Amino acid sequence: MYKLTFFIIALAMFTSCAKKSSSTEDFSSGTTDDASKVESADPTTYDPNRGIGKFTKVELGATLDKILAADGEKIESVKCSSCHKLTDEKLVGPGWKGVTTRRKPEWIMNFITNPDPMIDKDPKVQAMLELCLVRMPNQALTDDDARKLLEFMRKNDGVN
């Protein structure tokens, strides 16, 4: 009985996380002088440094954009924290500590916004899947949400 209840609650959590939203924000005009600029490309082309998706170049400021990071923290607490820890410890998915030093910003944003093709084609993601055994669900995050999460990941990794 308890297992069925747990399953129903878990199913409800996963389906509620996948609500679609849209964004028309242009990253070339950010919130600070050194805000990021994003260039797009063919979303089906695979590049081992940037993954699969439309982000080919993400320019980050030398310092942390605290507004974006704060917004990213809110998104993380709703969409990501049930599967990812902010340490290097695995929960359902891998921990986030050090992710911005191991992966390029383009790769991170492409994976956040485009997880299914990345899981299917990217050897790095396939290796993570073998360890975690659970596919990351598509959270239907906007480009703006992904940029905010990236900035929060930078904060988590010690960027000031």
Side-chain angles (χ1 to χ4, degrees), residues 1-14 92:
M1 181 65 172
Y2 291 110
K3 289 181 183 179
L4 179 62
T5 303
F6 176 77
F7 176 75
I8 292 171
I9 291 171
L11 183 62
M13 286 176 49
F14 278 109
V92 174

Side-chain angles (χ1 to χ4, degrees), residues 85-133:
K85 289 192 174 198
L86 299 177
T87 65
D88 57 4
E89 184 181 355
K90 176 185 160 250
L91 188 56
V92 174
W96 280 9
K97 183 178 180 183
V99 71
T100 61
T101 60
R102 292 188 309 272
R103 306 281 189 247
K104 292 187 177 267
E106 299 81 8
W107 192 97
I108 294 169
M109 289 187 63
N110 280 326
F111 187 57
I112 290 170
T113 59
N114 198 33
D116 294 321
M118 291 275 288
I119 293 168
D120 294 340
K121 296 179 184 176
D122 191 299
K124 294 174 187 174
V125 179
Q126 290 171 352
M128 283 189 282
L129 181 58
E130 286 182 22
L131 294 172
C132 297
L133 304 175

Side-chain angles (χ1 to χ4, degrees), residues 27-45:
F27 288 115
S28 62
S29 59
T31 56
T32 63
D33 291 337
D34 59 357
S36 63
K37 180 180 175 186
V38 176
E39 293 181 17
S40 298
D42 178 4
T44 61
T45 304

Side-chain angles (χ1 to χ4, degrees), residues 49-62:
N49 291 312
R50 69 168 181 86
I52 302 166
K54 63 182 166 182
F55 300 107
T56 60
K57 187 172 183 181
V58 179
E59 294 178 15
L60 302 175

